[in-house]
Amino acid sequence: MLSLFDIALLAGVGFLAGACNAVVGGGTLFTFPVLLALGLPPVTANASNTFALWPGNIGAVQAYLPELRARPDGLRLRVALACVGSLIGALLLLASGNALFFAAVPWLLTAATLIFTFSRPIVRKLFANSPHARRMGLLLSIEFGCAIYGGYFGAAV
């Protein structure tokens, strides 16, 4: 049972996380540790965080509809790959359990931080002098990998 302090803490951190998500993203990096500190098991805290992102994601899709309609090429394939990758990640999360997931969190955060920090040079290197078909294959592979990662550790997407 949550105390009034716990509820106030969750509301405050949730507000902070929402503001952070509106500006740059990463708000779940505030809420995930708080959920753990309040005693939720790691997999449950991660799943709760991921589920809480749905309203913002729906709003983001609505905001980007004009751009999506203007460039529909390959969109159905990309959405399908994202759905399959996310499902794979979620199944891996459920199969790994709390102990393995909790042990993996620092490594997952490190990987995400490195990729975020060095994404521009990585993309430049991968796509330099690549024919269109190779670029599309790389892009789809990267998006599929990100979907698996997001399905597994939604709190760090």
Side-chain angles (χ1 to χ4, degrees):
M1 182 82 171
L2 295 176
S3 69
L4 285 177
F5 175 79
D6 295 342
I7 293 169
L9 177 65
L10 283 172
V13 171
F15 182 79
L16 173 68
C20 183
N21 280 343
V23 177
V24 295
T28 56
L29 295 176
F30 296 109
T31 55
F32 180 67
V34 170
L35 291 171
L36 291 176
L38 292 176
L40 267 73
V43 171
T44 303
N46 180 51
S48 298
N49 255 329
T50 303
F51 184 77
L53 295 174
W54 270 94
N57 290 342
I58 290 169
V61 168
Q62 288 178 336
Y64 279 98
L65 275 178
E67 290 182 44
L68 293 172
R69 288 187 180 124
R71 300 207 44 153
D73 49 309
L75 186 59
R76 290 177 197 250
L77 173 61
R78 293 169 77 180
V79 169
L81 284 173
C83 289
V84 171
S86 298
L87 180 61
I88 290 169
L91 292 173
L92 288 171
L93 174 66
L94 294 175
S96 66
N98 285 308
L100 179 60
F101 173 71
F102 191 70
V105 166
W107 299 104
L108 293 166
L109 287 171
T110 300
T113 301
L114 290 172
I115 290 170
F116 179 77
T117 302
F118 299 108
S119 61
R120 288 188 192 267
I122 291 170
V123 168
R124 243 184 266 119
K125 180 75 172 167
L126 285 174
F127 291 91
N129 303 319
S130 296
H132 179 73
R134 182 169 185 267
R135 283 194 307 264
M136 283 308 296
L138 284 170
L139 177 64
L140 292 173
S141 298
I142 291 168
E143 289 177 354
F144 186 65
C146 288
I148 293 172
Y149 179 91
Y152 186 78
F153 191 32
V157 171

